[in-house]
Amino acid sequence: MSAIEASESALMRRARYVLIAVMTVVITFPILWIFLSSIKQPDALFTSPPQVFPREVTLEHYRSIITDSLLLRYLFNSIVVASLTTLVSLLLAVFAGYGWGKFDFYGARTTSVFVLVSQMFPVVVLIIPLFELLSRFSMLNSYQGLVFAYLVYTVPLSTWMLKGFFEGIPENVLRAARIDGLSELRVFTEIALPLVVPGIAATAIYAFIMAWQEFFFALTFMQEDSLKTLPVGLLGFVGQYDVSWGALMAASFVTVLPVTALFLFLQRYFIQGIASGAVKG
Amino acid sequence: MATSTNQDSKSDTLVDRLLDGDISVGVWFVLPTLLIMGVILIYPLVRTVWLSFHVAQGSQYVWVGLQNYIDVLESDWLGGVIFNTVLWTGLTVGLQFAVGIAAAMLLNTKFRGRAFVRGLWLVPWVTPGIVAALVWKWMYHPQFGVLNRFLTDIGLTDSYIAWLSNPDLAIFAIILAGVWKGFPFSMIMYLAGLQSINQDLYRAAHIDGAPWYARFWHVTLPQLRPVLKVTILLTTIWTFNYFVLVFAMTGGGPAGSTDILPNKVYTLAFNEFQFGLSSALAIIMFLILMVFMVFYVRALKQQGEEL
Amino acid sequence: MSELRFDSVSKVYSGTTVAVDDLDLTIEDGEFVVLVGPSGCGKTTTLEMIAGLQKPTSGDFTIDNEVVNEHPPQERGIAMVFQNYALYPHKTVRENITFGLKYTTDLGASERDEKAREVAELLGIEQLLDDKPKQLSGGQQQRVALGRAIVRDPEVFLLDEPLSNLDAKLRTEMRAELQQLQKDLGVTTVYVTHDQTEAMTMGDRIAVLNRGVLQQIGEPTEVYNEPSNEFVANFIGSPSINFVPGHLEDGMVTTDHVSVDVTGSLIRPYEGDTTLGIRPQDLRKASPDEASPTFTATVRVLEKLGSENVLHLDAGDLELVATVDESVLPGIGDSIELAVDEERVHVFDDEGKSIKYRYNPDSTDRPRSQSVQEQ
């Protein structure tokens, strides 16, 4: 970095700043557009050419999605499902990440590679049998059914992320604890776990975001309107022949806002975790 | 290295060794996850293979051998779907790489508010796919869409373009949305890679008089190589599987011009209820993916990581 | 109190890699033994088998005549200091020191804190008790790691390269301090290092390992003067010993450069190909009327260390190193005549085993070295 800056002329620096600004506008524009569309008067949405900034701001669309649709219910469902998924995934991944990260046992390598590869399984390969499975155990249209299916998405990468964090603990610290007389379970709870708290945070955000934005499992396994999550609920505003764009954008904004806020707030942990989970293997 | 198992007992059964406490306690830590993975991954995989050799008749499944595979291979849509899948995957991954590395290099320079800008640039990635699909569809709207307004404002076109209902354009419109949605992952990986490059290499290249493009070519790219390989493979696999944009923006149309493999598998099953045919196509898709998975695991190993 | 004994102990990893091969070794109560060897020689594996962190693949490891192969670490009365200190990063110095007491003793919290304070005073770190490891310097972390071991009042003290992360000056200080501490506490101590200087200066006895095989165990001067084989001779001593290929016949070792009469000083009869071993310190500038065998060599590099000079020399195709007095200052490219006393040369047979030792000033009333390779 210092080397790059040393050779940078004032002109190049200005060009770099302009480039960064332009990219920021382009990248964030769709999100901004959701927001702008959601606060426009209904007839202002359908002018040709469209106006970029609303002349008059209205919360009409937000009022309508709250009173005329099950949006709050969808929001509640999404929160319940994403939270439960995060909890269960973490519980599994914390143990598994430690097992694979810190122990060498028969089949450790093969099984951990399997889990790594499984995050790349096409969802469409799994969706029909999972549908049958949930239906057999009467878990269609249930929170626990959807959470169970979501583990397909969340457990593999969560496990790998945490495995990376556990591997970062020096082996000798754990040995010192064994010599200090701790049982294996205590070595885990008293020494290893407190040292990977940042990793647990990263993994939690990851699992939450994955569950929050999932669409096809929710679409397929939650057919009762009152149990739909936000992403699927959005489709309710897309009619056969016309789309209520204002309401749709307002509902979309409600869907985007929580994860984006959560993410911007905690991005430091998250980035660290993703990089260690995927690059370091 | 962790404690290794005792060699003398290699011949004992797995159960004996578990009960003896001879097997490392590591097994107990991974067991719950392995069991769950077995139920939600292995069983469905095996079941899909089974389904691909059957067709539903009433509530019964009847064995038809390879008939589903033959039907898939002889279908009139397969060629188009594969073409679209390759186009979608190839172009999206390529553009994600280009945008991702450019963005990473910008983020790897010093400027005020860098962490905040990095956060903003990652927002598309945490935007739910369905929301991305819907807002892009809205921006692509021929009459009321902001994209057409923008293009006419700067004079690139004077007539409104029907982005998603033109069979020649629709897939490119979706690819653009896909790049927007997916590039931040590549960006963050490349950024991590860039930050781990030893700055002394740049100092040395500077002293050797290498201009910036030579430093990029001879220092940055070779040093990023392992990360590049893993990231490109990973994004290839994910993009290949990713179909919420197609599903919600065009549904595969117009005239099948945006239909890609996973979308076809899904619609065959849940719109046409042809589970056997859908399963056969899913297995074909899985086999194609296996190739990439093998390369991915190998690339990780080459990186010198202990798997 | 606590005698450690290995009886034909082997450790094999994943069925093929032999880390420790048929080790027989007894460490007496209160003794300070240094395990030394290059990396991968099995010294750390040996230490970890003592600690109970690894089980022997075969053979028995006993403490006070009780086989403890299967005993977990906490039942062995040991404490260990690790190379990178292995302090618990999320705990304060006090918590680090008292943590083991919590699980291995019945002491209450206040008693544990009291003990931590005593140990901290002993090591001069009492003002750091509330700090986290991250806030400490390397030397301070080292002391905390020691404190954590001492507070356990162990019967056996295990140290795995504990000084390797310290800078040179601190390392020398800690070397003396550790020895003093061990003498004061009287605890059986096993110390692992790859640094032959540490081995020579610290141990009551040194055990030299190579590729999982014990090469020799003995007092430092014994290992230095009476190495069992070429490996030990080469590993112990700095700069490393010079080897000159030659042939032994009728009590004379002849080489291309020098001939040495070894009549009467062989430890067993031998004739045939040999290697002559000459320590750099034993080469000196020949006097005009030199009686000892002499070399002629050309000076390639001269290192001035202040109290002495190290010469890198060429004698034909042979490269030699000599440590000479500071007054000997030849120019680069000069030819120099070097002498070596017959009693100071080592001779090895064609398998690399010793057949003649160097003169050992304090070897008279001590039993012969326990030379493992001669079985």
Side-chain angles (χ1 to χ4, degrees):
Chain A
M1 235 157 52
S2 53
I4 292 166
E5 262 137 44
S7 67
E8 193 178 55
S9 66
L11 185 72
M12 274 174 77
R13 174 175 311 156
R14 201 160 304 155
R16 182 160 61 86
Y17 286 171
V18 169
L19 202 56
I20 289 167
V22 168
M23 277 189 66
T24 306
V25 170
V26 172
I27 290 166
T28 51
F29 185 80
I31 304 297
L32 185 71
W33 195 240
I34 293 174
F35 178 66
L36 290 177
S37 304
S38 75
I39 55 169
K40 278 180 194 161
Q41 294 283 5
D43 52 354
L45 283 169
F46 305 106
T47 57
S48 191
Q51 31 174 286
V52 175
F53 291 100
R55 288 193 195 103
E56 222 176 313
V57 169
T58 176
L59 292 178
E60 167 60 23
H61 302 300
Y62 288 95
R63 193 202 56 76
S64 94
I65 56 173
I66 288 168
T67 55
D68 306 343
S69 81
L70 289 176
L71 187 94
L72 289 180
R73 180 75 204 176
Y74 301 154
L75 181 64
F76 174 77
N77 293 339
S78 271
I79 291 172
V80 170
V81 169
S83 307
L84 281 178
T85 306
T86 307
L87 209 67
V88 178
S89 315
L90 269 186
L91 207 62
L92 289 167
V94 151
F95 281 96
Y98 182 63
W100 274 308
K102 279 289 164 216
F103 293 91
D104 182 20
F105 50 89
Y106 186 76
R109 220 187 99 98
T110 319
T111 48
S112 69
V113 170
F114 164 72
V115 170
L116 173 71
V117 167
S118 69
Q119 66 179 315
M120 300 157 205
F121 278 22
V123 165
V124 286
V125 171
L126 312 173
I127 201 162
I128 301 170
L130 282 176
F131 182 84
E132 291 178 341
L133 202 67
L134 294 181
S135 130
R136 168 138 10 122
F137 292 98
S138 308
M139 287 189 355
L140 288 174
N141 293 310
S142 75
Y143 291 139
Q144 64 269 33
L146 192 59
V147 169
F148 181 69
Y150 277 177
L151 299 181
V152 170
Y153 283 108
T154 54
V155 169
L157 200 57
S158 302
T159 301
W160 270 77
M161 280 169 67
L162 282 168
K163 175 174 175 276
F165 279 95
F166 280 116
E167 279 167 350
I169 303 176
E171 191 65 40
N172 282 344
V173 170
L174 303 182
R175 290 174 169 182
R178 287 184 190 121
I179 286 178
D180 274 346
L182 273 71
S183 65
E184 286 299 333
L185 198 62
R186 290 229 160 191
V187 172
F188 175 63
T189 55
E190 301 245 345
I191 305 297
L193 264 191
L195 293 178
V196 296
V197 167
I200 293 175
T203 314
I205 309 164
Y206 167 78
F208 192 89
I209 290 175
M210 289 304 267
W212 186 269
Q213 65 165 289
E214 204 287 330
F215 177 71
F216 285 104
F217 280 1
L219 178 70
T220 316
F221 304 149
M222 298 293 239
Q223 288 160 341
E224 226 166 80
D225 201 23
S226 66
L227 284 168
K228 281 179 179 163
T229 56
L230 273 175
V232 179
L234 292 181
L235 287 190
F237 303 102
V238 182
Q240 181 112 40
Y241 301 106
D242 73 308
V243 179
S244 356
W245 285 109
L248 180 58
M249 288 299 118
S252 294
F253 194 65
V254 172
T255 310
V256 175
L257 198 60
V259 271
T260 310
L262 181 77
F263 172 76
L264 284 178
F265 195 58
L266 299 167
Q267 60 154 323
R268 184 183 301 276
Y269 292 117
F270 188 55
I271 289 164
Q272 195 187 350
I274 290 297
S276 78
V279 186
K280 290 201 324 205
Chain B
M1 285 298 290
T3 42
S4 145
T5 54
N6 205 324
Q7 295 300 310
D8 295 339
S9 52
K10 269 264 144 65
S11 53
D12 295 353
T13 68
L14 197 64
V15 177
D16 284 343
R17 292 170 65 199
L18 274 174
L19 294 178
D20 285 351
D22 189 20
I23 280 189
S24 148
V25 282
V27 171
W28 297 108
F29 283 102
V30 304
L31 208 55
T33 293
L34 273 185
L35 291 178
I36 296 260
M37 289 280 127
V39 176
I40 57 181
L41 277 165
I42 300 293
Y43 166 76
L45 195 58
V46 172
R47 176 72 179 169
T48 300
V49 172
W50 185 89
L51 281 171
S52 72
F53 295 112
H54 293 77
V55 290
Q57 280 186 355
S59 59
Q60 296 279 304
Y61 281 106
V62 180
W63 169 265
V64 292
L66 288 173
Q67 194 54 49
N68 287 322
Y69 289 92
I70 293 167
D71 287 351
V72 167
L73 293 175
E74 288 181 347
S75 70
D76 50 2
W77 44 259
L78 185 69
V81 167
I82 291 206
F83 175 82
N84 295 337
T85 309
V86 171
L87 184 62
W88 150 254
T89 308
L91 207 52
T92 308
V93 169
L95 289 171
Q96 280 181 6
F97 159 74
V99 177
I101 200 157
M105 290 184 71
L106 281 172
L107 283 182
N108 198 33
T109 61
K110 259 190 208 145
F111 57 90
R112 271 179 51 185
R114 188 160 71 120
F116 182 65
V117 168
R118 182 186 61 189
L120 287 181
W121 290 9
L122 278 164
V123 163
W125 194 44
V126 289
T127 303
I130 183 74
V131 172
L134 294 170
V135 70
W136 278 90
K137 192 174 179 178
W138 175 225
M139 294 195 300
Y140 283 136
H141 197 285
Q143 249 184 302
F144 312 121
V146 71
L147 185 66
N148 278 334
R149 149 101 201 240
F150 174 71
L151 290 178
T152 45
D153 276 2
I154 61 169
L156 267 180
T157 169
D158 49 8
S159 63
Y160 280 5
I161 298 164
W163 296 99
L164 294 175
S165 33
N166 179 334
D168 295 329
L169 284 181
I171 191 145
F172 297 102
I174 295 176
I175 286 170
L176 185 61
V179 173
W180 177 80
K181 173 83 179 79
F183 90 91
F185 174 78
S186 307
M187 174 184 86
I188 226 51
M189 297 285 278
Y190 300 149
L191 184 60
L194 285 174
Q195 285 170 346
S196 69
I197 297 178
N198 183 351
Q199 290 302 312
D200 284 347
L201 287 176
Y202 286 109
R203 295 196 184 102
H206 241 290
I207 288 166
D208 287 341
W212 67 268
Y213 51 86
R215 293 199 296 270
F216 179 75
W217 190 255
H218 293 289
V219 178
T220 309
L221 274 188
Q223 290 290 308
L224 275 187
R225 226 178 95 103
V227 180
L228 282 178
K229 216 151 109 183
V230 167
T231 307
I232 288 177
L233 279 165
L234 213 50
T235 48
T236 302
I237 293 164
W238 286 344
T239 309
F240 187 85
N241 282 332
Y242 197 71
F243 71 109
V244 69
L245 296 179
V246 165
F247 183 86
M249 287 170 81
T250 61
S257 65
T258 59
D259 210 357
I260 55 175
L261 274 170
N263 188 61
K264 191 71 187 173
V265 174
Y266 188 84
T267 47
L268 274 178
F270 292 98
N271 294 1
E272 299 174 31
F273 305 104
Q274 304 212 48
F275 292 116
L277 208 58
S278 166
S279 298
L281 188 60
I283 293 303
I284 291 172
M285 187 178 151
F286 185 71
L287 292 177
I288 299 172
L289 265 176
M290 286 270 279
V291 177
F292 290 105
M293 292 183 197
V294 168
F295 278 121
Y296 175 70
V297 171
R298 247 204 235 156
L300 275 186
K301 245 188 271 175
Q302 273 176 8
Q303 229 175 299
E305 292 297 335
E306 251 185 72
L307 284 173
Chain C
M1 215 165 69
S2 40
E3 179 204 77
L4 312 175
R5 197 171 74 242
F6 287 91
D7 280 326
S8 325
V9 168
S10 292
K11 176 70 188 178
V12 184
Y13 289 118
S14 21
T16 49
T17 319
V18 182
V20 171
D21 192 2
D22 199 22
L23 176 67
D24 286 302
L25 176 66
T26 304
I27 295 164
E28 315 275 344
D29 180 32
E31 199 180 13
F32 192 132
V33 168
V34 179
L35 303 180
V36 67
S39 56
C41 72
K43 55 190 192 292
T44 297
T45 307
T46 306
L47 193 73
E48 289 180 354
M49 285 194 284
I50 301 177
L53 292 168
Q54 301 204 31
K55 290 187 215 166
T57 310
S58 62
D60 286 329
F61 172 64
T62 61
I63 299 179
D64 291 335
N65 293 317
E66 187 193 359
V67 177
V68 293
N69 286 4
E70 301 288 327
H71 290 204
Q74 63 268 29
E75 290 172 20
R76 296 186 178 204
I78 49 137
M80 186 159 173
V81 176
F82 294 92
Q83 181 172 4
N84 300 311
Y85 319 133
L87 300 178
Y88 307 125
H90 57 302
K91 296 185 183 294
T92 64
V93 169
R94 179 181 288 107
E95 288 165 335
N96 262 285
I97 293 177
T98 55
F99 196 61
L101 295 176
K102 201 164 142 192
Y103 295 95
T104 52
T105 68
D106 310 325
L107 298 178
S110 59
E111 291 168 292
R112 294 200 297 262
D113 283 354
E114 178 57 28
K115 285 198 99 173
R117 217 178 40 73
E118 281 171 22
V119 169
E121 270 170 25
L122 177 71
L123 294 166
I125 50 169
E126 64 270 29
Q127 73 286 5
L128 304 174
L129 280 171
D130 294 312
D131 291 351
K132 291 268 179 74
K134 223 184 284 176
Q135 299 164 266
L136 308 183
S137 70
Q140 290 168 333
Q141 291 189 30
Q142 172 67 70
R143 281 163 200 275
V144 177
L146 277 173
R148 184 169 71 178
I150 293 170
V151 78
R152 297 268 306 278
D153 196 11
E155 287 175 40
V156 181
F157 210 19
L158 306 175
L159 300 115
D160 186 5
E161 310 232 5
L163 304 183
S164 59
N165 286 359
L166 301 178
D167 62 51
K169 187 165 175 291
L170 202 51
R171 201 181 309 159
T172 316
E173 281 171 29
M174 284 302 286
R175 224 153 60 192
E177 198 170 321
L178 264 180
Q179 268 175 291
Q180 186 60 49
L181 205 59
Q182 195 266 342
K183 291 287 167 277
D184 292 349
L185 299 171
V187 180
T188 311
T189 301
V190 185
Y191 186 107
V192 159
T193 182
H194 66 271
D195 177 356
Q196 62 93 25
T197 315
E198 269 174 35
M200 287 295 287
T201 52
M202 296 179 81
D204 294 331
R205 283 196 299 159
I206 304 178
V208 185
L209 287 108
N210 186 34
R211 295 167 191 240
V213 177
L214 179 63
Q215 307 291 316
Q216 186 170 11
I217 175 159
E219 289 175 17
T221 51
E222 184 186 352
V223 173
Y224 181 81
N225 293 307
E226 303 175 3
S228 63
N229 56 34
E230 283 180 22
F231 175 82
V232 175
N234 189 35
F235 193 80
I236 301 291
S238 171
S240 290
I241 194 167
N242 298 297
F243 288 122
V244 187
H247 192 79
L248 171 55
E249 215 174 294
D250 298 331
M252 282 295 287
V253 178
T254 24
T255 74
D256 290 350
H257 311 275
V258 70
S259 296
V260 183
D261 185 354
V262 294
T263 319
S265 55
L266 295 186
I267 50 178
R268 61 186 160 88
Y270 177 83
E271 294 212 322
D273 286 340
T274 58
T275 303
L276 201 60
I278 307 170
R279 297 214 175 263
Q281 293 80 358
D282 294 336
L283 283 168
R284 57 184 160 76
K285 194 178 180 197
S287 55
D289 52 346
E290 185 62 56
S292 299
T294 58
F295 275 90
T296 310
T298 316
V299 178
R300 182 158 37 88
V301 176
L302 170 66
E303 294 175 335
K304 294 180 201 172
L305 299 185
S307 64
E308 58 191 19
N309 293 330
V310 178
L311 307 180
H312 295 258
L313 306 147
D314 290 320
D317 52 358
L318 193 71
E319 294 182 2
L320 291 172
V321 177
T323 309
V324 294
D325 190 85
E326 59 183 308
S327 63
V328 181
L329 272 169
I332 306 295
D334 284 2
S335 195
I336 183 171
E337 193 83 359
L338 292 163
V340 61
D341 295 334
E342 277 147 4
E343 61 176 15
R344 288 178 184 262
V345 301
H346 300 264
V347 182
F348 306 94
D349 67 10
D350 55 357
E351 287 170 0
K353 290 177 188 160
S354 269
I355 47 175
K356 177 193 177 299
Y357 294 143
R358 183 180 184 272
Y359 155 77
N360 185 357
D362 56 20
S363 74
T364 42
D365 52 17
R366 195 174 28 74
R368 274 268 166 244
S369 166
Q370 195 185 328
S371 193
V372 181
Q373 282 232 316
E374 280 179 43
Q375 329 140 341

